[in-house]
Amino acid sequence: MIIKMFLVGLNHRAAVTLFLVATTLLAAIGLPKLDVDTGMDSLIPANDPGRLIYQTVIGEFGSDNKTIIYIKDDDLWTPEKLAILERLHGNIEHIENVVSVDSLFNLHTIHGKDGKIESLPVLSEAPATVEEALAAKKRALANPLFIGNYFSDDGDVMAMIVSVMNIEDDRDFNRKIFTELESLISADRDKFESLIQVGPPRINTELENRLFDDFKLLGPLSAFILFISILFFMRSTLSAIIPVVTSALTVIWTFGMLGWVGIPLNILSAMLPSLIIVIGSTEDTHMMAAYFRGLQTTDGGSRDKAIDYMARHIGLPLVLAVLTTALGFSSNMFSSIGLIQQFAFASTFAMLANGIITILVVPLLLSIYGPGKNPNFGDDKGPNRLSDRILKVFRYSQDNYPISVLMFTAVMCLFFIYHASKLYVTNDPLSYIPSDSVLIKDTKRIHDDLAGIKIFFITLDSNKENAFQHPVNIHKLAEIQGFMEKQGVFDRSMSLADHLAFANREFRGEYAELALPETRQLVAQYLMFFHRSDLDSYVSHDYSRANIVVRHNINDSHTLNNYINELQEVIEDIAGPGMKANIVSENLMVNQAADSLMVAQVKALVILLVLIFLIMSAMFTSFRGGAIAMVPAIIPIAMMFGVMGYLDIPLNPGTAMVAVIAIGIAIDGTIHLLARYNELCRHTSDYVGAVHVAVKEEAMPIIVSSIALSFGFGILLFSNFTVVAQFGALAAATMLFSIYANLLITPIIMTRVRLVGLYQIIGMSIDKKVLEDSPLFQNMTNYQRRKAVLISELSECEEGDLLVEQGTIGRDMYLILSGEAEVIRHDGNGESHKLATLLPGSIFGEIGYIRETERTADVKALSKISALRFDYERMQKDLKFFPQIVAKLNFNISYILGERLADMVSQAKGHTGD
Amino acid sequence: MKIRPSQHFTFLLILIASSLHAQEHSDVTLDEATGLAIMQEVYSRHQQFAFIYEEQSMVMTDRNGDRDTRKVRRYSRVEDDGTVKFLLLFDSPDEINGVALLANRDASGKTNKYIYLPAFGEQLIENVSSGRDGNFLGTDFSIESLTGEVLDDYIYIRRPDKKTVEVAYFVIDVYQNEEGLSADTLVADKQANRRHFISKYNLYISKTEYFDKQGRVYKRLSHHDLKPVDGKMWRADMILMEDIKEHHQSLIKISRRVFSRDYVAAEIFTADWLFKNSPFISRPDIDNEEIHSEDEGATEMLNEQNNSSANLELEFTQ
């Protein structure tokens, strides 16, 4: 069936072309429906219990979508500059969906001195004189609540904090806010030393822009590099064009499907075109290599025969390779993180679509444009020479130091696994952007002069009205803040306690330090000097819940989560029983998703390895086969994790996918290698030789595809996203590691095993009756008979050929599958006597098989013969690989010999009787 | 004296006739008047009684619609020398019981304000906040918005009158009186601080809009439940201040008003009286009683008022 499927493109060109055109057009219609989502929501696990708490908290204490407008100037406090800022403040307030703007123009402060108290705005309107401006500066810097939040210590930097809320869940929300803010800011930018905005709208817009830039750059660059590298290795223009064609169709199908289904593009989608081009090309390369081999092998070298050869020889391995690759991508589909889940869905579809397109398009194009001769094989220049050199080194090691190589590899793996233990996880969106980008520099500047732009909330819920007018509970807030100061990693925290301590200081005047009011009445009475809106972010209306707003600039989830976990324990302890304590924010949920990222990664990896093990075990009808197939998958992955640990590359949504994707790809080479080895083993009992031949034949496609994949993944280094670049670098390295594993380690292990492919068993075309009637296969199931046939060596003889020669010593036993042979004995007088004619199902040579002895007669082919040859030594070797089958065969041989003996005895009796 | 039903009707007719006459009269006399002249007429007509005692509910609504209610007593007294004394005394919630705002405005318009916090100690703390800018004690009102403007501090420019279906208004823009500035020298594009809408019917400031520098309304003060209290003098039983930028509002509902010297004795406006009636709370706080946060009556009033406020807005925009 699979062969037929591969030949559809050859046999039904018009129908296939029509199907491809129609599907591609349908997909293309879906392209305009494509949406882009770079929001933080897709980075948070859908089942995160923190979501609900977060929604409640932002509903009560206000949005954490806050943009900081950073203003720096040495002459900031002048009437002219403040007038510009006042206008800017007013204009920003009128942007749609802006909930509030906080700046010196609406900040209120309290000032106490000599028994007098003053509650006043820092600046109600732009001052008319420099003196007024400086007085406002003095007021601003005197309030400790403002330092770090709104003003730098020296007052040269100030901030406007713009809170926005995406009420209608508009996907373009962030871009709209960013654009409107930018248009207002840019008009006055030249009037200040620095005037910038940083916040979720800018970050999201930046991510979106970078995504589009990646799309424009990476796909075409991948296609170009792929074209050049295949052209170099395969020396065939068509071989280079075909992957580009299949990839282009896959890209349209995939993105069209995403448009139709409504799955948005995200940061990881940026690498999808490159992945399709790079990974998709490997199958094209294997098919082209098989086609060229077909040209060499088949008589006359016709296209159709070569395509037929290609279909027969790599059909099933290729389908299997497509499935394992798709399996690699799909293993992430159950991730709770939307970003990864969406990418897994898109990439799995892409891999499957690419498989279908390749199977249909490659035979179709080859049937029309396929070259009539092999441009590459047999040539000892260029890529062949390169792969030969690599193989020469590998073969020398395999032949002379196999144990040493295995030991060295084991030690190396242990070394990498040790470094892999240092791996840490991060999921911070800002870590997706390179550290030398303007955005990150701006973020750092705000962090240096004010406080980090990242926010989280610590909420205490007493479930009791007015609890946070009670000094005991207010002290709890201060205690938590005190602990955070000891942690020393968060920039700024603000709570109701700060406001009350400040009010207390201003009322008491002589207090040098901030101290909290002692009675509930005094708390309530101080609170009258704050407007409700001043406290909205810090305490619920009924004073049953309090909120500490914390700003920080930690970009590494691992570090942040550790501190948050530590903090969580402490706040629960401080809050005491009866009071719930939560730490929430969107940014925090995103960072905390790093933990589920790690869990999901381990889960996906284990599931994938188990699945591949089972598939390969079934494929090669042996758990050993499954285990061998895992070797080239596991070694590169161990190396990759080791490199990550060694180079301090974190596990993030990009790098987390390398392992599963790389396994899916690396296993392709193994499948092709094992399949070829099995095929060769059918014709030889020299397994080592078969390994060498298989490796030699498969080396070039493996090396070409691995290097092409490395180049392709390497292109992702040009991505605008750190996560994508890290993915690219690691995937490229893993592909190179897979050459080592596939061509050095796998062959060493392969020589020690003998596998039979399930596809060979199923696809075997032997007269069933011959097997059923043969005593050699008696009491065996059809499956066992077929497997037994595949363990043996297939021998083909022409008419007149001698299968067994009298007087020679041989330990082979034969079963005739088709054709006829005669048994002739030569006596000492030079006369020949025909003893018997052997028909299909006949067995001969069984005595030599059991005991090393001279052949007593010739067996000569009367017609073209197809026979199974059972070599004694080979069967002894295979006993350990297929004990049940070989044992049954041995038993049946014993039975046959027993029958012969019985016949001879009865014949002897007959003679005696005569 | 018992009034018969037929006398009710006669009395009503007289009231309507006198009101119409009053309206006609004000239209006629103030049609060509300047902004200042209208304001002077407004103040002369509705100037404070010398002795007023009010019991108020103050309902503050935040941007989420949550409300806080305070019970307040207001005392005001005008001395013979023109000094106006003003005391706002908080009765509830319990935690702020006794908190007081004491203000004295002399004839020249100079105002001294003091705050008394019983939990802080027996001392009056002088509040030197500017009356114009600051919201007082967490409300959306400024002290000036409750005590009235000092006319000399401002320049009043009359703008085209506004008429709705039911009411006609004088429209007066108010500018801060700065040195060298007058109604004649005021530049055309200068932004007013606020705009009064004065009902031609009773010459009462029905609504005041506060502008920011860009000319956008950021606060709105409106008077409701207007009642004539003495001839042409009217009083509002409900005063609403809306902060449009911050999306919150404060409502004062006067539940009792008494014009009597006996209710506002001079000693009430002293520190001793305050210390005696609301002594210093020195005990450490250990209790954690719940505060009644909602006043049902005031809530209903606020809801009604929100509706009438919306209607009022509709009228102005027609």
Side-chain angles (χ1 to χ4, degrees):
Chain A
M1 193 187 88
I2 288 171
I3 294 167
K4 277 184 188 166
M5 198 168 74
F6 270 77
L7 296 176
V8 168
L10 176 71
N11 299 328
H12 309 281
R13 287 180 203 167
V16 167
T17 308
L18 194 66
F19 168 75
L20 289 169
V21 170
T23 313
T24 308
L25 280 176
L26 185 70
I29 296 169
L31 290 176
K33 300 176 198 291
L34 263 178
D35 214 343
V36 178
D37 178 17
T38 53
M40 298 301 114
D41 203 47
S42 64
L43 296 170
I44 303 168
N47 55 359
D48 191 330
R51 273 179 187 267
L52 195 62
I53 301 168
Y54 168 70
Q55 291 299 337
T56 312
V57 169
I58 63 162
E60 183 147 44
F61 299 113
S63 168
D64 62 347
N65 189 334
K66 292 180 195 291
T67 288
I68 293 171
I69 296 177
Y70 169 96
I71 309 137
K72 182 179 170 71
D73 202 288
D74 289 341
D75 299 319
L76 200 53
W77 298 90
T78 58
E80 301 77 27
K81 304 235 161 153
L82 292 175
I84 295 168
L85 294 178
E86 186 188 27
R87 180 169 41 78
L88 181 64
H89 178 117
N91 290 335
I92 292 172
E93 274 181 334
H94 286 80
I95 295 175
E96 200 181 353
N97 292 320
V98 167
V99 179
S100 66
V101 183
D102 295 314
S103 78
L104 80 164
F105 296 105
N106 60 354
L107 292 174
H108 282 74
T109 187
I110 303 170
H111 178 58
K113 196 180 177 187
D114 302 331
K116 294 177 183 174
I117 195 81
E118 190 177 15
S119 169
L120 71 170
V122 172
L123 199 59
S124 58
E125 58 183 27
T129 64
V130 174
E131 288 71 28
E132 282 177 30
L134 292 175
K137 180 180 181 181
K138 197 177 167 191
R139 281 195 293 276
L141 300 187
N143 189 330
L145 304 180
F146 299 156
I147 303 300
N149 278 324
Y150 296 98
F151 308 105
S152 62
D153 293 335
D154 59 5
D156 286 349
V157 173
M158 71 167 72
M160 282 187 194
I161 299 179
V162 183
S163 295
V164 293
M165 200 172 274
N166 187 359
I167 299 158
E168 289 169 5
D169 211 15
D170 178 4
R171 274 208 168 144
D172 276 341
F173 175 78
N174 282 310
R175 181 173 286 277
K176 283 177 191 166
I177 293 288
F178 169 75
T179 310
E180 290 200 53
L181 281 175
E182 197 57 25
S183 72
L184 292 175
I185 290 170
S186 57
D188 293 321
R189 185 160 283 147
D190 59 334
K191 300 178 183 82
F192 296 89
E193 194 182 318
S194 180
L195 178 60
I196 51 164
Q197 60 159 319
V198 178
R202 179 175 169 190
I203 294 169
N204 277 282
T205 309
E206 176 107 7
L207 290 174
E208 221 171 271
N209 291 342
R210 284 171 176 270
L211 179 65
F212 289 130
D213 288 346
D214 266 14
F215 270 121
K216 281 184 254 172
L217 175 75
L218 298 182
L221 195 60
S222 297
F224 176 73
I225 297 288
L226 182 83
F227 184 87
I228 297 297
S229 56
I230 293 180
L231 197 63
F232 171 75
F233 283 111
M234 303 285 282
R235 306 261 196 91
S236 155
T237 313
L238 188 69
S239 300
I241 289 172
I242 283 178
V244 175
V245 173
T246 54
S247 304
L249 290 176
T250 310
V251 167
I252 296 170
W253 284 29
T254 305
F255 287 100
M257 180 279 298
L258 293 179
W260 280 112
V261 176
I263 294 177
L265 298 180
N266 61 37
I267 296 162
L268 299 178
S269 312
M271 58 179 164
L272 209 46
S274 297
L275 290 182
I276 290 170
I277 293 165
V278 170
I279 300 171
S281 71
T282 57
E283 308 309 343
D284 300 272
T285 312
H286 279 290
M287 284 178 86
M288 290 305 293
Y291 173 79
F292 288 134
R293 212 161 49 230
L295 284 178
Q296 265 192 329
T297 312
T298 54
D299 297 336
S302 81
R303 280 177 188 160
D304 290 2
K305 281 185 180 172
I307 293 168
D308 188 71
Y309 177 91
M310 175 186 82
R312 286 182 192 286
H313 285 78
I314 65 156
L316 190 95
L318 193 137
V319 170
L320 205 64
V322 168
L323 290 177
T324 50
T325 305
L327 203 63
F329 281 100
S330 69
S331 58
N332 281 310
M333 219 181 288
F334 302 103
S335 167
S336 54
I337 297 173
L339 179 85
I340 293 179
Q341 198 182 39
Q342 289 164 0
F343 176 74
F345 183 80
S347 53
T348 304
F349 176 87
M351 292 305 121
L352 293 173
N354 187 262
I356 293 168
I357 290 169
T358 304
I359 289 169
L360 293 176
V361 169
V362 176
L364 177 73
L365 290 179
L366 285 176
S367 71
I368 303 167
Y369 306 108
K373 64 170 188 154
N374 185 349
N376 191 25
F377 283 81
D379 190 349
D380 61 349
K381 294 176 189 169
N384 257 3
R385 204 165 57 179
L386 174 71
S387 63
D388 282 348
R389 279 184 182 176
I390 294 172
L391 284 183
K392 205 172 170 185
V393 175
F394 281 2
R395 191 179 295 173
Y396 181 78
S397 314
Q398 285 157 2
D399 292 345
N400 298 294
Y401 311 104
I403 302 299
S404 304
V405 169
L406 291 178
M407 289 296 289
F408 169 75
T409 307
V411 171
M412 196 166 62
C413 283
L414 283 175
F415 171 78
F416 281 120
I417 288 167
Y418 165 73
H419 281 291
S421 65
K422 296 177 193 165
L423 261 182
Y424 65 96
V425 199
T426 193
N427 191 32
D428 191 277
L430 279 182
S431 70
Y432 297 176
I433 300 172
S435 55
D436 59 350
S437 70
V438 178
L439 173 62
I440 300 297
K441 283 180 184 166
D442 286 349
T443 308
K444 193 173 176 305
R445 205 179 334 165
I446 293 176
H447 163 64
D448 290 344
D449 291 336
L450 297 165
I453 63 156
K454 294 172 190 174
I455 293 172
F456 67 82
F457 300 138
I458 301 173
T459 59
L460 297 186
D461 185 354
S462 71
N463 202 23
K464 206 170 185 180
E465 270 189 26
N466 301 316
F468 284 97
Q469 285 188 349
H470 200 296
V472 171
N473 290 329
I474 295 163
H475 270 284
K476 289 180 179 176
L477 298 173
E479 206 179 330
I480 291 168
Q481 289 178 270
F483 176 76
M484 280 193 285
E485 262 183 46
K486 276 187 207 158
Q487 282 186 303
V489 288
F490 304 115
D491 295 342
R492 192 83 176 83
S493 71
M494 182 79 78
S495 76
L496 180 66
D498 296 303
H499 286 77
L500 288 167
F502 170 63
N504 204 24
R505 185 185 82 174
E506 293 304 311
F507 269 87
R508 297 199 186 274
E510 71 273 19
Y511 272 39
E513 288 181 14
L514 295 171
L516 290 168
E518 303 85 3
T519 67
R520 195 179 72 177
Q521 285 79 0
L522 190 55
V523 168
Q525 290 168 24
Y526 280 156
L527 287 172
M528 295 177 83
F529 288 84
F530 296 98
H531 199 281
R532 222 5 269 187
S533 59
D534 298 333
L535 303 172
D536 276 348
S537 301
Y538 308 105
V539 67
S540 67
H541 169 259
D542 63 358
Y543 286 87
S544 66
R545 291 172 293 281
N547 186 36
I548 303 173
V549 180
V550 186
R551 283 173 63 176
H552 69 95
N553 193 44
I554 302 171
N555 294 329
D556 158 26
S557 306
H558 174 69
T559 309
L560 180 62
N561 291 346
N562 280 346
Y563 282 114
I564 293 293
N565 291 340
E566 186 184 37
L567 188 58
Q568 181 74 44
E569 278 181 29
V570 170
I571 64 168
E572 278 172 12
D573 189 43
I574 292 173
M579 196 176 275
K580 286 182 202 156
N582 288 303
I583 307 177
V584 291
S585 82
E586 191 175 56
N587 173 269
L588 219 54
M589 281 194 285
V590 169
N591 279 285
Q592 282 165 344
D595 292 336
S596 49
L597 188 71
M598 179 69 107
V599 173
Q601 163 73 3
V602 171
K603 219 191 276 180
L605 204 56
V606 169
I607 290 172
L608 182 67
L609 288 174
V610 168
L611 279 175
I612 288 182
F613 173 74
L614 292 176
I615 289 172
M616 298 306 276
S617 298
M619 158 98 181
F620 294 110
T621 62
S622 149
F623 286 122
R624 270 174 204 261
I628 291 167
M630 303 309 295
V631 171
I634 289 171
I635 291 173
I637 299 309
M639 289 178 168
M640 182 209 76
F641 281 131
V643 168
M644 283 176 76
Y646 188 74
L647 297 179
D648 203 33
I649 298 171
L651 203 65
N652 56 38
T655 56
M657 292 190 304
V658 177
V660 282
I661 292 173
I663 287 178
I665 299 167
I667 207 86
D668 287 7
T670 317
I671 291 170
H672 287 287
L673 202 60
L674 288 175
R676 186 72 190 130
Y677 168 65
N678 274 355
E679 206 179 324
L680 291 167
C681 282
R682 292 280 291 112
H683 303 281
T684 177
S685 56
D686 177 9
Y687 297 164
V688 174
V691 166
H692 286 162
V693 174
V695 169
K696 185 172 170 55
E697 284 183 5
E698 288 300 324
M700 206 185 65
I702 287 175
I703 291 172
V704 168
S705 58
S706 295
I707 291 178
L709 281 167
S710 296
F711 277 130
F713 283 128
I715 283 160
L716 297 178
L717 280 167
F718 293 102
S719 169
N720 285 298
F721 296 109
T722 311
V723 282
V724 174
Q726 286 171 338
F727 170 90
L730 287 170
T734 311
M735 289 303 105
L736 295 178
F737 296 151
S738 76
I739 296 180
Y740 170 85
N742 264 327
L743 299 182
L744 181 64
I745 307 303
T746 311
I748 293 177
I749 304 170
M750 262 174 19
T751 54
R752 288 159 172 75
V753 293
R754 171 80 175 89
L755 301 171
V756 170
L758 184 64
Y759 61 99
Q760 292 171 305
I761 296 172
I762 295 165
M764 196 164 59
S765 57
I766 288 180
D767 187 349
K768 202 175 166 186
K769 199 162 182 319
V770 171
L771 299 183
E772 281 172 359
D773 293 346
S774 169
L776 189 61
F777 297 121
Q778 67 181 337
N779 296 324
M780 290 171 87
T781 63
N782 189 37
Y783 172 83
Q784 286 172 324
R785 281 187 206 111
R786 284 168 174 257
K787 196 164 181 178
V789 168
L790 290 166
I791 294 170
S792 68
E793 188 187 325
L794 189 66
S795 196
E796 306 270 345
C797 296
E798 296 300 322
E799 185 184 344
D801 285 353
L802 269 183
L803 282 94
V804 169
E805 191 177 357
Q806 187 181 337
T808 59
I809 293 173
R811 302 214 60 178
D812 303 328
M813 176 180 73
Y814 293 86
L815 168 70
I816 297 176
L817 295 174
S818 62
E820 290 180 9
E822 58 181 356
V823 184
I824 300 164
R825 185 154 63 192
H826 308 284
D827 60 19
N829 304 322
E831 289 181 10
S832 300
H833 306 278
K834 183 177 174 180
L835 299 180
T837 302
L838 300 173
L839 299 172
S842 302
I843 296 164
F844 60 91
E846 66 273 18
I847 296 173
Y849 175 82
I850 295 298
R851 185 163 177 269
E852 193 173 328
T853 181
E854 275 189 9
R855 302 289 193 183
T856 54
D858 286 348
V859 178
K860 189 178 176 185
L862 290 173
S863 62
K864 188 175 179 181
I865 278 185
S866 179
L868 295 179
R869 187 166 73 94
F870 295 88
D871 176 67
Y872 173 78
E873 282 180 11
R874 175 184 168 126
M875 291 298 273
Q876 290 312 303
K877 271 197 268 179
D878 286 350
L879 181 62
K880 61 182 174 188
F881 303 132
F882 312 103
Q884 279 188 321
I885 304 288
V886 175
K888 280 215 168 188
L889 283 173
N890 284 338
F891 180 83
N892 288 342
I893 291 167
S894 307
Y895 175 82
I896 292 164
L897 287 170
E899 285 289 301
R900 293 271 162 91
L901 188 62
D903 283 349
M904 283 169 68
V905 169
S906 79
Q907 277 176 18
K909 273 184 185 170
H911 283 297
T912 312
D914 290 344
Chain B
M1 186 181 73
K2 195 173 181 182
I3 300 171
R4 289 194 302 274
S6 60
Q7 284 178 307
H8 276 296
F9 183 68
T10 312
F11 186 61
L12 186 66
L13 278 178
I14 292 167
L15 262 179
I16 294 169
S18 61
S19 299
L20 287 172
H21 172 76
Q23 184 171 1
E24 194 182 320
H25 173 78
S26 65
D27 286 350
V28 169
T29 54
L30 294 173
D31 262 355
E32 304 301 321
T34 62
L36 180 61
I38 293 170
M39 286 303 294
Q40 284 167 339
E41 180 60 24
V42 167
Y43 271 72
S44 83
R45 203 182 272 202
H46 303 294
Q47 67 178 327
Q48 288 192 335
F49 270 104
F51 309 102
I52 307 173
Y53 166 77
E54 286 178 349
E55 288 173 11
Q56 305 176 342
S57 293
M58 203 179 271
V59 183
M60 291 168 293
T61 309
D62 67 17
R63 68 171 71 211
N64 298 321
D66 293 318
R67 291 168 185 167
D68 278 326
T69 305
R70 295 170 181 174
K71 293 280 188 191
V72 185
R73 279 177 280 159
R74 173 179 160 159
Y75 301 82
S76 66
R77 176 187 171 101
V78 183
E79 301 293 357
D80 295 339
D81 62 357
T83 305
V84 177
K85 289 181 175 174
F86 173 90
L87 174 68
L88 211 57
L89 189 63
F90 290 84
D91 287 329
S92 75
D94 291 346
E95 285 79 5
I96 60 167
N97 185 299
V99 170
L101 173 74
L102 184 61
N104 289 319
R105 191 169 80 194
D106 66 19
S108 68
K110 189 189 169 201
T111 306
N112 293 315
K113 291 163 284 187
Y114 300 91
I115 289 160
Y116 173 55
L117 303 178
F120 183 71
E122 286 186 348
Q123 65 178 97
L124 288 184
I125 305 157
E126 188 175 355
N127 184 347
V128 290
S129 308
S130 156
R132 278 204 319 276
D133 301 324
N135 299 335
F136 86 91
L137 297 178
T139 72
D140 292 297
F141 295 102
S142 64
I143 291 173
E144 191 181 54
S145 65
L146 294 177
T147 57
E149 296 166 359
V150 175
L151 296 184
D152 291 345
D153 288 352
Y154 299 98
I155 295 167
Y156 296 94
I157 304 293
R158 187 170 168 188
R159 300 295 179 201
D161 296 349
K162 192 151 191 159
K163 192 170 182 182
T164 65
V165 176
E166 293 173 350
V167 191
Y169 297 96
F170 293 116
V171 179
I172 311 283
D173 276 358
V174 185
Y175 297 85
Q176 189 68 39
N177 195 356
E178 294 161 10
E179 202 175 324
L181 206 64
S182 70
D184 301 329
T185 59
L186 204 64
V187 288
D189 61 348
K190 186 171 172 65
Q191 178 59 52
N193 294 99
R194 51 186 173 264
R195 175 173 290 168
H196 291 315
F197 293 84
I198 300 162
S199 166
K200 289 186 176 180
Y201 170 65
N202 57 11
L203 278 187
Y204 202 89
I205 302 174
S206 297
K207 186 173 79 163
T208 302
E209 289 177 339
Y210 294 79
F211 299 113
D212 64 14
K213 274 199 167 176
Q214 280 78 39
R216 292 174 291 220
V217 178
Y218 71 95
K219 273 170 102 171
R220 185 183 296 122
L221 175 71
S222 53
H223 294 84
H224 309 273
D225 279 4
L226 292 169
K227 287 174 187 159
V229 291
D230 184 22
K232 293 179 186 173
M233 186 187 294
W234 288 63
R235 277 288 180 277
D237 278 351
M238 201 135 59
I239 306 164
L240 178 70
M241 179 67 94
E242 298 164 275
D243 190 321
I244 292 157
K245 267 188 190 173
E246 302 289 337
H247 305 288
H248 42 68
Q249 59 184 37
S250 299
L251 172 83
I252 291 175
K253 169 73 183 171
I254 293 114
S255 52
R256 187 179 176 212
R257 181 184 288 122
V258 180
F259 301 100
S260 166
R261 175 190 288 268
D262 299 341
Y263 276 75
V264 285
E267 64 163 344
I268 289 174
F269 301 91
T270 62
D272 286 346
W273 187 87
L274 286 172
F275 299 159
K276 188 179 156 194
N277 286 280
S278 306
F280 170 51
I281 306 158
S282 59
R283 61 188 159 78
D285 182 81
I286 49 166
D287 64 323
N288 197 11
E289 293 164 16
E290 290 184 358
I291 299 168
H292 296 290
S293 59
E294 196 76 27
D295 181 297
E296 296 297 331
T299 306
E300 278 175 30
M301 284 187 288
L302 190 78
N303 289 336
E304 285 169 17
Q305 190 48 48
N306 280 343
N307 294 336
S308 59
S309 172
N311 293 338
L312 190 73
E313 178 63 25
L314 192 66
E315 282 175 23
F316 278 107
T317 51
Q318 277 171 344

